Amino acid sequence: MANQHDRRYKRLFSHPVFVKQLLISFVQEKFVRYLDFDSLQRVNKNFVTEEYKEKESDIIWKIDFKNKPLYIFILIEFQSTVDYSMPLRFLRYITEFYQSFYGKTESGKLPAVFPVLLYNGEARWTVPWSIEDMIEPNIPGKYIPKFHYYRVLENEIPKSSLVKIKNALAAVFYTETSSSEELQDEMDRLIELIRDEDMEVVQEFTRWLNNFLSTMMGEEAREGIVKKIESVMEVKFMLETKWKEYRERLREEGKGEKAREAARKMLDKGFSVDDICEITGLSPIEVEKLKKDKS
């Protein structure tokens, strides 16, 4: 079960759109608004030890922040119970990540790293969010580490908030915090969350959903939910395609009208039909018709 969750989430957060949605919609830090999401690059490194690979997984992305690189370290916790050693483990992963940079940066300084914990267990998260809270404060505070990590706790996000957010990651969290009965009753609401997403993102969500539902309901019920989403999205895709074709046609018609207007002016100035055709791209028949209309 943990391995399936690991693969599902790794695939999602290997897609830059889901990383962007995580940061914009679920991280309440002002610096996020200044991130250059077009610069997102996946970093092919992992720091979770063998001891904890059954409990968690890490994904790292590089992004530009005010013309300097910033690293987003996402630690996905997929065990159902909380582990009070989390701040210590997180600090270890980050320091090992820093160690991999030591002596390799142009400035001589280590890059900034933003550590994000994503937890979707049922138990309430009562673990300290700072390593400082795990250490006896019986010496001056300046000698005690103050490392913090940011927490995204799915089971503490109200469904009403997810409905307002309206994106694919909100749909993921909505699904994971719903029972199979709730999902079948609330399909319209789930579809509404992803209605405005690009088809590629919808397809990624549908793939994730199909895999997720296989662990919690029978094949017939699962197929009913997935097919309903796919049918709605097929209509969306058809409408998007038709709208794209319509816009292209309008654009071409606009180009044609500009060419005809230019041809009319050239006729007024005495240009030959051949010259007008060569310059505007219009056919001799079109130019002759314009010439006839003017006479």
Side-chain angles (χ1 to χ4, degrees):
M1 181 73 172
N3 286 334
Q4 288 180 331
H5 185 284
D6 180 19
R7 287 192 295 270
R8 286 197 300 265
Y9 262 57
K10 274 215 162 185
R11 183 179 180 102
L12 278 186
F13 289 105
S14 294
H15 196 298
V17 169
F18 286 90
V19 177
K20 179 179 180 179
Q21 290 181 357
L22 175 68
L23 295 170
I24 289 179
S25 300
F26 298 98
V27 172
Q28 307 303 316
E29 291 286 355
K30 290 182 179 179
F31 77 87
V32 169
R33 71 184 70 170
Y34 300 106
L35 296 176
D36 178 9
F37 288 101
D38 291 334
S39 69
L40 271 169
Q41 297 178 41
R42 176 81 185 274
V43 177
N44 189 25
K45 291 183 179 181
N46 298 98
F47 294 90
V48 169
T49 59
E50 289 293 330
E51 178 185 2
Y52 288 100
K53 279 192 174 177
E54 291 298 313
K55 301 178 180 179
E56 60 197 21
S57 185
D58 56 336
I59 300 174
I60 305 170
W61 284 83
K62 179 183 177 183
I63 191 169
D64 288 343
F65 172 56
K66 295 186 176 180
N67 298 319
K68 289 186 178 181
L70 167 68
Y71 289 86
I72 312 296
F73 193 110
I74 304 171
L75 185 64
I76 303 167
E77 183 79 359
F78 43 79
Q79 58 179 334
S80 58
T81 57
V82 299
D83 188 330
Y84 285 87
S85 69
M86 174 56 69
L88 187 60
R89 297 206 317 274
F90 221 142
L91 177 60
R92 177 182 175 183
Y93 300 150
I94 298 298
T95 53
E96 287 182 2
F97 182 57
Y98 273 139
Q99 190 65 44
S100 70
F101 278 98
Y102 187 72
K104 298 178 183 177
T105 60
E106 292 184 9
S107 66
K109 290 187 176 183
L110 298 170
V113 177
F114 180 53
V116 181
L117 170 73
L118 179 57
Y119 171 69
N120 79 332
E122 295 179 4
R124 185 169 174 269
W125 189 261
T126 55
V127 180
W129 72 304
S130 169
I131 188 70
E132 180 183 14
D133 296 330
M134 298 179 67
I135 301 172
E136 288 288 352
N138 55 354
I139 60 173
K142 62 183 178 181
Y143 301 112
I144 296 177
K146 291 179 172 56
F147 169 81
H148 293 73
Y149 61 93
Y150 193 93
R151 299 168 294 186
V152 177
L153 312 175
E154 288 185 34
N155 63 3
E156 293 188 12
I157 305 173
K159 282 190 172 182
S160 57
S161 297
L162 296 174
V163 170
K164 292 176 183 177
I165 290 172
K166 271 191 175 182
N167 61 30
L169 189 55
V172 168
F173 292 169
Y174 192 97
T175 302
E176 290 206 311
T177 53
S178 301
S179 66
S180 57
E181 293 77 15
E182 288 173 329
L183 283 177
Q184 293 179 75
D185 292 339
E186 300 175 3
M187 274 306 302
D188 291 340
R189 181 169 291 179
L190 189 62
I191 290 171
E192 192 62 29
L193 291 177
I194 60 173
R195 191 177 295 277
D196 295 332
E197 295 284 16
D198 292 339
M199 284 304 300
E200 181 185 355
V201 177
V202 172
Q203 289 168 352
E204 197 64 49
F205 170 75
T206 305
R207 188 180 293 111
W208 173 90
L209 180 66
N210 192 30
N211 186 277
F212 173 78
L213 293 180
S214 67
T215 66
M216 64 182 297
M217 63 175 59
E219 184 176 351
E220 185 176 346
R222 182 179 83 247
E223 286 184 354
I225 290 177
V226 174
K227 282 182 179 178
K228 187 169 184 180
I229 289 180
E230 287 177 341
S231 65
V232 171
M233 290 306 125
E234 281 173 7
V235 173
K236 169 185 166 70
F237 178 70
M238 181 184 69
L239 291 174
E240 285 180 349
T241 302
K242 292 296 182 184
W243 176 239
K244 184 177 180 181
E245 291 173 355
Y246 177 67
R247 284 184 299 177
E248 288 295 328
R249 187 165 67 250
L250 286 180
R251 189 179 294 114
E252 289 303 318
E253 288 175 359
K255 288 180 181 177
E257 183 53 41
K258 287 180 181 178
R260 286 189 288 273
E261 182 60 30
R264 292 187 188 98
K265 292 179 179 178
M266 294 171 74
L267 285 169
D268 289 340
K269 293 181 179 180
F271 280 73
S272 69
V273 171
D274 289 341
D275 286 343
I276 294 173
C277 290
E278 183 177 350
I279 294 170
T280 64
L282 296 174
S283 69
I285 294 176
E286 289 177 295
V287 176
E288 289 291 351
K289 184 177 184 303
L290 290 173
K291 191 175 181 181
K292 184 179 178 180
D293 291 342
K294 288 181 67 66
S295 60

